[in-house]
Amino acid sequence: MGATIEFIKKIIENLNGYGFPVLLLFIGVLEFSFGLYKGKWPKNERWVDIACFIVVPLVVRPAFGLFGLKVLPALLPAYKNLFSWVPVLWGAAIIAVADDLTQYWYHRLHHQIPWLWRFHRTHHSASYMGMAMANRQNLIYTIFFSQVYLTTALVYLGLGVPAIIVGVIKGAITTLAHSSIPWDKPLYKYKVLHPIAWVLERTISTPATHHAHHASSTDDGIGYYKGNFGNMFFLWDIIFGTALITRQYPKAYGISHYNGDQWYAQLLWPIFKSKVEGSELAAAGPMVRIDIDKETDEHNLVQVNESKPVLAAVS
């Protein structure tokens, strides 16, 4: 058993080193080869995606590394490797629940609290879905990822290998859930696979459930930016009542009132402001702008339902 665990650890460590970048490259090639962006990748949005993709390894990861290497030893010198006795699989379970449950609430609060919404808005502004969307975040939103600090602390306490295992699995799930490749459709098409689909879509994020979260509207009964907040585990949405499962894909993505905020404003708001008048990222912009109801009148604004004060307004 010990030899098997060591073998698995070596595979995961290798995947963490070069396997995940290879996965990203493979998915990216597939997306472009089959034209799955459908011509909806304008220059400004391209710069947003590229900037976000580059900044994470150059800025964010070193910041988290500094927290683990310098801050924690200074704060908790006697607790290093305190949990090193925990078996790898149990450690992975601890990391998976602690990391992903924390991210669920971090994500959900950025949709429900108006002041926080603008930090997360960049992730929803694109009118397309694709692999690049997984990293499309405001830098400040990413730096304050609460779950990463918790996971870094658990690594300091001795759960380093379990963290690598969970990181690889979670990275693959979230990337595939954002991808424009609808890999889950065969599960819904063939009746023999329906039991697998039922379990899978209630356990992890799939393209259908997560694409619904990125829809520009909830009017069709498919889009659901008011829920489906899960990252690796969709189970949290099931438990906390924020799930919508339709096994269908939205017709449109993004934010209904989005007018192409500059890439630097989306990356570094509020340090840099948008020049788009009326944008939430503009200097005098609203905290939350009400969505445009395109089904009735593009010039009319949807009144915010007081029973759903924030989620009806943010996408």
Side-chain angles (χ1 to χ4, degrees):
M1 182 65 178
T4 303
I5 293 295
E6 286 300 317
F7 179 70
I8 294 173
K9 283 165 61 176
K10 287 181 180 179
I11 292 176
I12 294 295
E13 286 170 355
N14 286 331
L15 283 173
N16 189 57
Y18 58 81
F20 192 59
V22 170
L23 173 64
L24 294 180
L25 179 62
F26 176 71
I27 296 172
V29 169
L30 281 180
E31 288 185 330
F32 281 104
S33 297
F34 291 98
L36 295 177
Y37 280 96
K38 299 178 181 178
K40 296 180 179 179
W41 207 33
K43 185 177 180 180
N44 183 67
E45 306 314 312
R46 220 176 305 155
W47 276 113
V48 176
D49 292 340
I50 292 171
C52 292
F53 190 80
I54 292 174
V55 163
V56 170
L58 292 183
V59 177
V60 178
R61 285 179 185 168
F64 293 148
L66 184 66
F67 174 72
L69 293 173
K70 298 294 184 181
V71 178
L72 288 176
L75 293 176
L76 306 168
Y79 294 94
K80 184 175 176 62
N81 293 326
L82 179 67
F83 296 151
S84 58
W85 58 271
V86 176
V88 172
L89 295 181
W90 277 108
I94 293 169
I95 291 283
V97 171
D99 180 286
D100 207 56
L101 180 56
T102 306
Q103 187 172 2
Y104 167 87
W105 282 105
Y106 184 80
H107 182 194
R108 179 173 173 174
L109 289 175
H110 277 76
H111 277 267
Q112 295 182 324
I113 298 177
W115 182 77
L116 292 176
W117 160 245
R118 291 177 291 182
F119 291 101
H120 182 55
R121 181 180 180 274
T122 300
H123 189 60
H124 285 265
S125 60
S127 62
Y128 53 85
M129 286 296 286
M131 172 197 69
M133 290 297 294
N135 283 328
R136 185 184 170 109
Q137 300 281 9
N138 175 287
L139 178 59
I140 295 173
Y141 176 89
T142 306
I143 287 176
F144 285 96
F145 263 158
S146 53
Q147 74 281 0
V148 179
Y149 291 100
L150 174 60
T151 299
T152 302
L154 290 172
V155 169
Y156 175 74
L157 293 174
L159 301 182
V161 172
I164 293 174
I165 294 172
V166 173
V168 170
I169 295 172
K170 182 171 182 175
I173 291 173
T174 55
T175 300
L176 290 169
H178 284 90
S179 174
S180 58
I181 301 171
W183 58 263
D184 54 342
K185 279 190 175 181
L187 299 176
Y188 314 139
K189 182 178 179 181
Y190 300 106
K191 193 172 182 179
V192 68
L193 297 177
H194 285 185
I196 297 175
W198 192 94
V199 173
L200 195 68
E201 66 193 358
R202 284 164 175 77
T203 306
I204 66 171
S205 289
T206 62
T209 56
H210 200 69
H211 280 222
H213 177 69
H214 281 263
S216 63
S217 172
T218 61
D219 296 340
D220 59 1
I222 298 172
Y224 197 55
Y225 53 69
K226 302 174 185 180
N228 290 18
F229 300 116
N231 294 276
M232 174 168 61
F233 293 129
F234 191 75
L235 182 63
W236 310 130
D237 288 287
I238 300 293
I239 292 173
F240 297 112
T242 54
L244 177 67
I245 300 174
T246 66
R247 298 184 176 181
Q248 299 181 65
Y249 283 73
K251 293 181 180 179
Y253 299 101
I255 301 173
S256 65
H257 55 259
Y258 177 66
N259 287 318
D261 297 293
Q262 295 77 22
W263 67 270
Y264 51 82
Q266 298 206 61
L267 179 66
L268 286 167
W269 183 90
I271 298 173
F272 295 113
K273 304 292 198 304
S274 172
K275 296 178 182 178
V276 177
E277 186 177 353
S279 168
E280 290 126 317
L281 305 186
M287 192 175 296
V288 175
R289 183 176 172 181
I290 299 173
D291 280 342
I292 296 172
D293 185 357
K294 295 181 179 179
E295 293 296 322
T296 56
D297 187 344
E298 289 192 355
H299 299 289
N300 290 335
L301 295 180
V302 178
Q303 296 299 316
V304 180
N305 186 332
E306 291 183 359
S307 66
K308 299 177 181 178
V310 178
L311 288 183
V314 291
S315 49

